[in-house]
Amino acid sequence: LSQVYYQENKVGSIMALYTNDLSVIRRTFGFGTIMLIDALSLGALALYYMFNINVVLSIISLSSLLIIMIVGSLLGKKITKATDANFKAYGRMSDYVQEDFSGISVIKAFVKEKLQMKRFQKYNEENRDTTLAITKISIKFEIIISVTLTLINLIIIGYGSYLIYKHSLGELATNMDIGTLTEFISYFGSLVWPIMAIGRLIDMRSQGQASLNRISDVMDEKVEINDLLVEAGIDESKPIKGDIEYRNLEFSYPNSEVKVLTDVNFKINAGEFVGIMGGTGVGKTTIVDLLLRIYNIEEGMLYLDGKDIMHLPVKYVRDNISYVPQDNFLFSKTIEDNISFSSNLNEEKKNYVNYAKLADVDKDIVEFKEGYETILGERGVTVSGGQKQRISMARALYKDSSILVLDDSLSAVDTETERKIIKNLRELRNGKTTIIIAHRISTLQFLDKIIVVEDGKVTGVGTHDELVSNNSHYANEVRLQELEKEINEEVGEKHEE
């Protein structure tokens, strides 16, 4: 499913499908099937012997099943609705808990444990109330079943006694006597369980239907990023060279009419080191996201090696691009596993240490007690921001793709480390396309080409010197950063004095 789906549906709600909904469906099909076979077998045998004794009494007995099915169909809709509300409430509670555990360090830093507990209580009460709503309907249904069976049993005893009385007077030619009525009531007692089971099955089915609807929503979700426009005859074994061209590209996020990119035009030649520079929220990340086919665009706007990206298989495009996003995500595995994440299961791992050295993170890793076998905490919380960025960079370098994209991936490292990483990238990726999104001019000034983005538009393309002379926004940014550097140096000197 597309990135948009995971932005609109939180982790807790999705995991609720696995913890709650699948369990309900499994119980409905598993235990429900056993219960159905048991009820049908026992019920059929009981009815067979009951009809052999007396047809009228048997029909009276079956009326209980008819009543239960009618009531069940009416209450079943309420159970389905209540179950859906309950699972949505559970999903919201699960969302809240998952987010709290992910942000536990922030909660503790602001001493907000008690406040978060109070907020959790609200979600917990909502979950409790919706659970009780299901329970109340289910109990009401069971009471109706018990009352119905009791009344039918009384009717059987009353009518059976009437038949015995008439038979004793010789007015009815029946074989009904006290022994036969006792036998019939015994068979009806055997029929009670199947009737109760039918009631429970209606209850289980109603809950299962609510879960099935929620899971069906996921299974039927439209796959937006697909290969429907792919041309025939694409040789996926041949790597992409790295020529990239944006032609009059315009883009709006799904479900939005606001254009975040307008008339974007520039070309990156294979093997170039290119920087993308601009303020926060101007569309830099969106430009590279489109390169990764995270979103669909119109045909004729973005080309890889001269071919429309919408005509290339998604897997082929992504296989040829290494990406280090702004929000660096590390798995709760060893550092080695994180760096070699792009390896296939059956292939021999490359020398991951070399890539850690190229990302200038090896010296930090070897200081850990377990070295590269150190297991990182959830989302990499056990390493610093700079270490996380560089481990993510080592992972991207390990993939060794034709195109490398670094999205503000050097912001957490100092200038000296940044310069060393850029030098290593130049040596390692000679002849391969590299795109670096950054705010610091020091990161960009020695690249082959710099693309300036303002308010969703490309306002300048050129080298550092060219842009200083002909692009006011870039030149102003250079002056501001130089002034900031001078102020910091003066403050540092005064501090030393």
Side-chain angles (χ1 to χ4, degrees):
L1 296 177
S2 68
Q3 197 95 328
V4 176
Y5 176 83
Y6 294 103
Q7 290 169 354
E8 294 176 349
N9 295 273
K10 293 184 178 180
V11 174
S13 296
I14 295 173
M15 290 309 299
L17 298 174
Y18 293 87
T19 54
N20 267 18
D21 294 276
L22 284 180
S23 296
V24 171
I25 290 176
R26 182 184 63 185
R27 187 171 68 248
T28 303
F29 277 94
F31 184 62
T33 301
I34 295 171
M35 191 185 294
L36 179 63
I37 293 171
D38 186 24
L40 290 176
S41 302
L42 185 59
L45 287 169
L47 284 171
Y48 172 76
Y49 288 110
M50 288 165 71
F51 271 95
N52 283 338
I53 294 171
N54 189 282
V55 174
V56 177
L57 285 176
S58 300
I59 293 173
I60 293 172
S61 302
L62 278 175
S63 64
S64 61
L65 183 59
L66 179 63
I67 294 169
I68 287 167
M69 292 184 72
I70 293 171
V71 174
S73 64
L74 295 174
L75 291 181
K77 294 177 181 179
K78 289 186 177 181
I79 293 172
T80 300
K81 188 176 179 180
T83 302
D84 185 54
N86 174 239
F87 285 174
K88 284 180 179 177
Y90 178 84
R92 287 189 287 270
M93 184 178 70
S94 182
D95 279 335
Y96 184 82
V97 173
Q98 189 272 336
E99 192 171 56
D100 263 20
F101 280 126
S102 296
I104 194 68
S105 58
V106 177
I107 293 171
K108 288 182 177 296
F110 283 83
V111 198
K112 294 296 180 182
E113 293 93 337
K114 290 184 178 179
L115 177 62
Q116 294 303 99
M117 285 294 289
K118 286 182 179 179
R119 288 174 176 169
F120 168 73
Q121 187 175 354
K122 172 191 169 186
Y123 291 101
N124 201 22
E125 287 174 354
E126 184 186 13
N127 181 60
R128 179 201 64 194
D129 292 343
T130 52
T131 302
L132 285 174
I134 299 172
T135 306
K136 286 177 181 178
I137 299 171
S138 298
I139 293 297
K140 189 185 294 183
F141 190 24
E142 288 186 15
I143 290 171
I144 291 171
I145 293 172
S146 298
V147 170
T148 302
L149 291 173
T150 301
L151 289 174
I152 295 297
N153 202 24
L154 289 172
I155 293 170
I156 291 171
I157 293 171
Y159 185 69
S161 299
Y162 170 76
L163 293 178
I164 294 170
Y165 173 70
K166 287 292 185 182
H167 177 65
S168 65
L169 296 176
E171 295 180 11
L172 289 176
T174 65
N175 60 346
M176 185 63 69
D177 54 26
I178 293 175
T180 308
L181 179 59
T182 303
E183 183 183 358
F184 186 91
I185 292 172
S186 177
Y187 285 130
F188 180 73
S190 299
L191 190 63
V192 167
W193 158 245
I195 294 173
M196 294 287 286
I198 295 298
R200 291 187 185 178
L201 282 169
I202 293 171
D203 189 353
M204 289 173 62
R205 184 192 177 282
S206 300
Q207 293 187 40
Q209 185 64 51
S211 294
L212 182 62
N213 291 341
R214 283 162 52 83
I215 290 176
S216 294
D217 287 341
V218 178
M219 301 301 289
D220 297 337
E221 185 75 23
K222 183 181 178 183
V223 179
E224 296 176 351
I225 311 301
N226 51 54
D227 293 335
L228 294 178
L229 300 175
V230 171
E231 296 177 350
I234 300 289
D235 184 4
E236 297 187 39
S237 63
K238 185 178 179 181
I240 290 173
K241 293 178 182 177
D243 281 313
I244 303 167
E245 185 176 3
Y246 290 76
R247 298 181 188 173
N248 303 315
L249 185 142
E250 294 188 349
F251 178 73
S252 300
Y253 284 112
N255 305 321
S256 173
E257 295 181 359
V258 179
K259 290 189 182 298
V260 292
L261 294 175
T262 306
D263 196 28
V264 174
N265 286 280
F266 64 86
K267 189 176 189 304
I268 299 173
N269 298 314
E272 283 188 325
F273 267 68
V274 177
I276 300 179
M277 177 264 183
T280 303
V282 298
K284 305 185 299 298
T285 297
T286 306
I287 288 174
V288 295
D289 281 348
L290 298 180
L291 188 63
L292 285 154
R293 281 296 311 277
I294 290 176
Y295 302 99
N296 286 324
I297 56 174
E298 293 182 19
E299 296 176 75
M301 289 187 172
L302 178 55
Y303 291 82
L304 279 177
D305 289 354
K307 295 180 180 178
D308 192 325
I309 196 170
M310 295 301 292
H311 297 169
L312 296 172
V314 175
K315 184 178 182 301
Y316 178 57
V317 171
R318 293 178 182 172
D319 273 345
N320 283 273
I321 300 176
S322 297
Y323 182 43
V324 184
Q326 284 179 317
D327 182 18
N328 297 290
F329 183 93
L330 297 178
F331 296 94
S332 299
K333 297 183 177 181
T334 64
I335 295 175
E336 175 192 338
D337 288 336
N338 272 281
I339 294 175
S340 59
F341 182 70
S342 60
S343 295
N344 293 324
L345 290 174
N346 298 324
E347 73 177 17
E348 187 177 347
K349 288 184 180 180
K350 293 182 281 188
N351 189 349
Y352 50 85
V353 177
N354 287 342
Y355 296 97
K357 288 179 179 178
L358 290 166
D360 199 37
V361 72
D362 174 68
K363 61 181 183 294
D364 295 339
I365 296 172
V366 294
E367 290 179 359
F368 296 148
K369 184 178 179 181
E370 302 295 332
Y372 284 87
E373 294 301 316
T374 301
I375 297 178
L376 300 177
E378 188 176 11
R379 299 178 66 90
V381 295
T382 50
V383 292
S384 68
Q387 290 168 338
K388 188 187 291 188
Q389 277 191 341
R390 283 174 286 157
I391 291 172
S392 298
M393 193 180 302
R395 177 172 61 193
L397 295 174
Y398 184 96
K399 189 178 177 183
D400 195 26
S401 302
S402 304
I403 301 170
L404 171 65
V405 178
L406 304 178
D407 188 357
D408 202 19
S409 302
L410 299 170
S411 59
V413 300
D414 56 72
T415 308
E416 184 180 342
T417 302
E418 173 192 71
R419 193 179 297 113
K420 187 174 181 179
I421 290 172
I422 296 292
K423 179 176 178 294
N424 291 339
L425 288 175
R426 281 284 195 183
E427 295 174 358
L428 176 68
R429 295 191 54 79
N430 183 35
K432 295 181 179 180
T433 305
T434 304
I435 301 172
I436 301 174
I437 297 176
H439 293 281
R440 288 196 299 221
I441 300 300
S442 60
T443 310
L444 306 172
Q445 61 183 342
F446 299 113
L447 302 184
D448 301 327
K449 187 185 293 181
I450 301 169
I451 298 161
V452 181
V453 183
E454 295 181 68
D455 297 325
K457 296 181 180 179
V458 173
T459 59
V461 179
T463 63
H464 171 75
D465 293 334
E466 290 171 347
L467 291 172
V468 168
S469 61
N470 61 29
N471 188 281
S472 58
H473 176 75
Y474 185 83
N476 185 53
E477 190 64 32
V478 171
R479 284 193 295 271
L480 287 173
Q481 292 193 23
E482 286 178 348
L483 180 61
E484 183 182 7
K485 183 180 178 182
E486 290 175 7
I487 292 172
N488 289 337
E489 288 175 352
E490 289 178 5
V491 171
E493 288 175 1
K494 290 180 180 179
H495 180 72
E496 290 176 0
E497 292 175 0

